[in-house]
Amino acid sequence: MVGTFRPRRLASAVLLGALALGLAACGGEYPNSTFNHNTDFNASTDALWDKLLLWGTVVFIGVEAALVYTIFRFRRRPGAPKPKQVHGNTALEITWTAIPAVILIFIAIPTVRTIFKTQAKAAPESLQVEVIGHQWWWEFRYPQYGITTANELYLPNGRTVNFQLKTVDVLHSFWIPQMGGKRDLISNKTNYLWFTPNKDLPSSAWNGFCAEFCGPSHANMKFRVYTVTPQEFDQWTAHQKQPAIFPAVAAAAPASASASVPPVPSGTGATPVLLASMQGATPAGPTDSVAAAPVPVWTFPRERLEKDFAYTIPTAKLPTTISFDESLLAAGDPERGRQTYGRSSCIGCHAIAGTPFNMANVGPNLTHLATRYTIAGGLYPNTAKHLAYWIKSAPHLKPGSLMPTLGKGLTDPVRKNVVTLGGLTDPEIADIVAYLQALK
Ligand code: HEC
Ligand SMILES: [Cu+2]
């Protein structure tokens, strides 16, 4: 069928579409919008945007008005004489060069000023955070506190934070739309980015992304940011800088805590202080720290999380190509899990501070894994079921995953080998999950 061209109908369709689009922009919540004043960084870029939009609108209206006027005023009329032929008009040409030049100066001054402002060195007393990009997850280190964590970033309101951005592999880009950025992570170079979350910012959760294509799981390289009060931040750091509580400290923990954790068998009964000194790490406190009450756990409260539109617990579906008998999870034993973990390949890639398994740095630091809400670059919620599937075969859950398949008898979709030697059975995985879930 040959369609007839109906310009009127086309015009009204375009108009309707534009109107719908325009209206859509007025409603709804935008968890990843940059148009806000949550930080000094976003406030300055937003102010700059307002200026550019204003000048852009003035120019647009002027140009379009002149165009429309010319089209109608000088349109061809029947019997009209040929228009006057001219070649060049110096005055006109100088004017239309000068006007844009002046406008560009108006745009350039605030732009350059904002660039210098946001590129300046951060205040020396600011919070230092090393951001290390990995395919496909984020490592966060707080050198002033001796904390290493992954994929979840805690920032105190009202304090300038200075990020030192590095990558261990390919290029990545660090971006928290609601806070400011984005800035690239470049191999063999450290980039810097700083901003100050507003003092009165709600204690909230925000999305973070990798904004530079970095391989098959680039889209699965997300992170979460929690803005908290300075007091909450102190509570969080006080706990996070402790070595893993399980298992040795559990013996000294209050009755309620020790009841749920089996006693440490003799023979492995090293105290955390002893283990920490074996690692050359700083022990939690004075040599009697075993007797001291453990520092209470503080994590971003779940109630606040679920209320928050900016943050949702991830809902990525588990693959159906592998299965795990979930009824085993209830019988998982943390102490058995600790032992299985200790003789598995895990220790070659992961660190758990305060244990003998504290040497590797290929994968995320697991010291306080159980205090995090997500795993695998914000892709899955941190639940027993997701951990079990993840350990069984991470590459089935996350394309390209650098953590290999570990479930006995499975074929690794990345490496194409069948897992035999060192492969884990489902009951063994259930034990490891119980151990990991005890790592508060
Ligand atoms: C060859 C290195 C390697 C081995 C061996 C390995 N992992 Fe991993 N693991 C990784 C990497 C890399 C990641 C991050 C993957 C990602 O998110 O893309 C990871 C992620 C994880 C996570 C999610 C952590 C988080 O915060 O996102 C857990 C839990 C985990 N591994 C547990 C284990 C356990 C338990 C074992 C042993 C049974 C193990 N891993 C063996 C490299 C390894
Ligand atoms: Cu990336």
Side-chain angles (χ1 to χ4, degrees), residues 133-138 167 169-174 185 209-215 217-222:
H134 295 254
Q135 280 176 316
W136 291 272
W137 59 281
W138 299 89
T167 168
D169 39 52
V170 299
L171 306 195
H172 302 277
S173 184
F174 178 80
L185 281 60
F209 302 93
C210 177
E212 178 82 58
F213 180 72
C214 58
S217 264
H218 163 63
N220 302 324
M221 184 171 167
K222 291 176 268 189

Side-chain angles (χ1 to χ4, degrees), residues 34-53 106-120 160 177-181 183 193-198:
T34 59
F35 298 113
N36 57 63
H37 290 191
N38 293 337
T39 62
D40 44 0
F41 191 110
N42 266 14
S44 8
T45 41
D46 192 39
L48 182 62
W49 157 260
D50 285 347
K51 276 195 194 95
L52 296 193
L53 184 68
F106 274 95
I107 290 175
I109 291 174
T111 304
V112 172
R113 203 184 274 158
T114 310
I115 290 174
F116 276 94
K117 189 174 153 196
T118 55
Q119 299 269 351
T160 301
Q178 294 258 11
M179 304 267 121
R183 199 146 292 165
L193 171 73
W194 62 266
F195 56 67
T196 319
N198 285 350

Side-chain angles (χ1 to χ4, degrees), residues 37-38 44 57 89 232 237 248 254 292 309 372 397 408 428 437:
H37 290 191
N38 293 337
S44 8
T57 309
N89 183 324
E232 289 170 339
T237 51
F309 74 90
R372 303 203 282 262
L397 271 68
K408 208 179 202 121
E428 283 174 325
Q437 289 207 303

Side-chain angles (χ1 to χ4, degrees), residues 210-293:
C210 177
E212 178 82 58
F213 180 72
C214 58
S217 264
H218 163 63
N220 302 324
M221 184 171 167
K222 291 176 268 189
F223 59 102
R224 308 293 182 195
V225 184
Y226 304 114
T227 48
V228 297
T229 65
Q231 295 75 20
E232 289 170 339
F233 185 73
D234 289 345
Q235 282 170 276
W236 181 76
T237 51
H239 170 255
Q240 292 281 324
K241 68 184 178 196
Q242 301 290 305
I245 291 174
F246 187 88
V249 177
S256 60
S258 54
S260 61
V261 180
V264 187
S266 51
T268 55
T271 68
V273 175
L274 184 63
L275 286 174
S277 54
M278 277 159 60
Q279 305 309 314
T282 331
T287 26
D288 61 355
S289 72
V290 175

Side-chain angles (χ1 to χ4, degrees), residues 48-406:
L48 182 62
W49 157 260
D50 285 347
K51 276 195 194 95
L52 296 193
L53 184 68
L54 177 74
W55 283 108
T57 309
V58 169
V59 170
F60 178 78
I61 291 174
V63 169
E64 293 308 300
L67 186 70
V68 171
Y69 172 79
T70 315
I71 289 172
F72 281 96
R73 173 78 179 72
F74 301 107
R75 72 181 183 278
R76 190 168 168 206
R77 293 186 177 86
K82 210 175 178 196
K84 198 172 104 196
Q85 302 296 302
V86 293
H87 180 78
N89 183 324
T90 314
L92 201 61
E93 279 164 24
I94 289 177
T95 317
W96 76 43
T97 308
I99 294 176
V102 170
I103 293 175
L104 280 182
I105 290 172
F106 274 95
I107 290 175
I109 291 174
T111 304
V112 172
R113 203 184 274 158
T114 310
I115 290 174
F116 276 94
K117 189 174 153 196
T118 55
Q119 299 269 351
K121 269 212 168 77
E125 72 279 7
S126 56
L127 172 68
Q128 303 292 330
V129 178
E130 281 176 50
V131 175
I132 303 158
H134 295 254
Q135 280 176 316
W136 291 272
W137 59 281
W138 299 89
E139 181 176 348
F140 299 121
R141 296 185 181 192
Y142 294 73
Q144 291 146 320
Y145 297 89
I147 294 172
T148 305
T149 184
N151 302 323
E152 300 198 4
L153 185 65
Y154 280 71
L155 299 178
N157 285 338
R159 184 164 171 199
T160 301
V161 50
N162 183 31
F163 296 102
Q164 302 172 35
L165 309 166
K166 302 170 196 177
T167 168
V168 296
D169 39 52
V170 299
L171 306 195
H172 302 277
S173 184
F174 178 80
W175 191 31
I176 312 164
Q178 294 258 11
M179 304 267 121
K182 59 188 91 134
R183 199 146 292 165
D184 281 7
L185 281 60
I186 298 177
S187 319
N188 299 321
K189 179 181 189 319
T190 304
N191 266 350
Y192 297 90
L193 171 73
W194 62 266
F195 56 67
T196 319
N198 285 350
K199 257 202 187 67
D200 50 0
L201 204 61
S203 174
S204 196
W206 317 89
N207 293 321
F209 302 93
C210 177
E212 178 82 58
F213 180 72
C214 58
S217 264
H218 163 63
N220 302 324
M221 184 171 167
K222 291 176 268 189
F223 59 102
R224 308 293 182 195
V225 184
Y226 304 114
T227 48
V228 297
T229 65
Q231 295 75 20
E232 289 170 339
F233 185 73
D234 289 345
Q235 282 170 276
W236 181 76
T237 51
H239 170 255
Q240 292 281 324
K241 68 184 178 196
Q242 301 290 305
I245 291 174
F246 187 88
V249 177
S256 60
S258 54
S260 61
V261 180
V264 187
S266 51
T268 55
T271 68
V273 175
L274 184 63
L275 286 174
S277 54
M278 277 159 60
Q279 305 309 314
T282 331
T287 26
D288 61 355
S289 72
V290 175
V295 177
V297 181
W298 194 88
T299 3
F300 194 82
R302 183 173 277 273
E303 317 85 71
R304 269 191 239 163
L305 197 68
E306 282 165 355
K307 269 206 308 263
D308 201 314
F309 74 90
Y311 177 98
T312 42
I313 299 273
T315 50
K317 284 207 171 55
L318 285 168
T320 50
T321 41
I322 57 168
S323 63
F324 184 87
D325 181 0
E326 284 166 45
S327 67
L328 292 170
L329 289 171
D333 177 70
E335 175 49 32
R336 262 198 327 258
R338 188 180 71 85
Q339 291 171 17
T340 313
Y341 180 94
R343 57 168 187 268
S344 298
S345 58
C346 329
I347 60 171
C349 291
H350 292 283
I352 302 180
T355 72
F357 329 129
N358 193 27
M359 43 236 170
N361 189 30
V362 177
N365 188 297
L366 302 180
T367 307
H368 295 290
L369 176 73
T371 65
R372 303 203 282 262
Y373 285 103
T374 59
I375 56 165
L379 185 56
Y380 290 101
N382 187 5
T383 67
K385 182 174 152 187
H386 290 88
L387 283 171
Y389 271 82
W390 178 263
I391 295 168
K392 191 157 181 177
S393 184
H396 276 91
L397 271 68
K398 188 170 183 179
S401 166
L402 297 184
M403 172 159 158
T405 300
L406 294 168

